[in-house]
């Protein structure tokens, strides 16, 4: 019986060895493609204003300078609130005390007095009365105004339009490249959205200002830039 089993195994081995292996699966050839970036710009009307009003004072002593500065700054903040600025729209941006030094060649520096600076940043949820707020701060004693800018608080209304136009721009660029290569443009293989960017739009430089009958302010429009990177199939 054992001899029969050994004989059958010996006869089966060559047959198994002669069985051809299964062919390995072929990898799909990588699709030929072109990658481009499309851009679009959308202009929106700003609905928020930001500026900083400050007071700078000097006095022989730090205590005198601080007392005078605090008194004037309190008046400025009170005037802003009276003009319509809400409590949550006001935030202290900086407080500083610096000695004013006299430097003479060959002599030790001497303190002439002290300079105190205090500023409050106003983030107004409307652009309609910014001019009145600025004028109120100036009339109350503010002698520094900086960083007046206008912003769009919600860019969602222009996002869909911006992305649609950016994709159309990307397709147009890819179409030109495909034609130059003697090919036709196929489907979009991948789409990557970029970050919407808005350049800063300062409306006034840092400067000392005197009270004036009016502070002209124009909000204008804010331009948002959208980008879309797309890879298209080439046929």
């Amino acid at each position: 019986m054992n001899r029969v089993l050994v004989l059958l195994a010996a006869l089966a081995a060559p047959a198994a060895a002669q069985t051809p292996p299964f062919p390995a699966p072929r990898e799909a050839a990588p699709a030929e493609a072109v990658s481009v970036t499309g851009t679009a710009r959308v202009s929106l009307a700003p609905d928020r204003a930001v500026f900083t009003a400050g007071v700078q004072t000097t006095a022989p002593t730090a205590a005198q300078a601080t007392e005078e500065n605090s008194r004037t700054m309190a008046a400025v903040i009170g005037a802003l609130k009276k003009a319509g600025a809400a409590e949550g729209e006001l935030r202290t941006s900086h407080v500083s005390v610096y000695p004013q030094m006299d430097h003479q060649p060959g002599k030790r520096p001497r303190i002439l007095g002290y300079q105190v600076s205090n500023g409050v940043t106003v983030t107004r949820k409307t652009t309609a009365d910014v001019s009145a707020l600025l004028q109120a701060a100036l009339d109350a004693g503010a002698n520094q105004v900086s960083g007046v800018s206008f912003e769009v608080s919600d860019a969602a209304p222009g996002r869909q339009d911006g992305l649609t136009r950016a994709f159309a721009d990307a397709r147009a660029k890819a179409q030109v490249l495909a034609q130059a290569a003697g090919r036709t443009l196929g489907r979009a293989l991948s789409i990557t959205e970029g970050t919407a960017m808005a350049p800063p739009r300062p409306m006034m430089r840092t400067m000392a200002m005197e009270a004036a009958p009016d502070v002209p302010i124009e909000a204008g429009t804010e331009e948002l830039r959208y980008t879309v990177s797309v890879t298209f199939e080439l046929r």
Side-chain angles (χ1 to χ4, degrees), residues 6-97:
V6 172
L7 178 60
L8 291 175
L11 292 174
Q18 294 175 4
T19 302
F22 291 103
R26 296 179 58 186
E27 294 184 1
E32 294 183 336
V34 58
S35 297
V36 293
T37 298
T39 60
R41 290 176 171 81
V42 178
S43 295
L44 299 175
D47 59 354
R48 181 170 62 188
V50 181
F51 68 89
T52 298
V55 176
Q56 187 177 88
T57 57
T58 57
T61 67
Q64 290 174 332
T66 301
E67 181 182 358
E68 180 182 348
N69 186 279
S70 298
R71 183 172 57 252
T72 306
M73 197 64 208
V76 170
I77 293 174
L80 287 170
K81 291 180 179 179
K82 186 177 180 179
E87 189 76 30
E89 296 176 333
L90 303 177
R91 175 178 56 85
T92 297
S93 60
H94 68 275
V95 177
S96 62
V97 180

Side-chain angles (χ1 to χ4, degrees), residues 50-54 91 93-94 118-122 134 144-148:
V50 181
F51 68 89
T52 298
R91 175 178 56 85
S93 60
H94 68 275
N118 192 341
V120 60
T121 297
V122 182
L134 282 170
Q144 288 188 325
V145 173
S146 64
V148 180

Side-chain angles (χ1 to χ4, degrees), residues 86-133:
E87 189 76 30
E89 296 176 333
L90 303 177
R91 175 178 56 85
T92 297
S93 60
H94 68 275
V95 177
S96 62
V97 180
Y98 290 106
Q100 294 182 312
M101 307 298 295
D102 179 27
H103 296 274
Q104 296 291 337
K107 297 182 180 180
R108 297 182 61 181
R110 184 170 60 95
I111 297 177
L112 297 177
Y114 290 86
Q115 181 183 85
V116 176
S117 180
N118 192 341
V120 60
T121 297
V122 182
T123 303
R124 187 68 172 153
K125 297 178 181 179
T126 177
T127 62
D129 55 358
V130 175
S131 178
L133 289 172

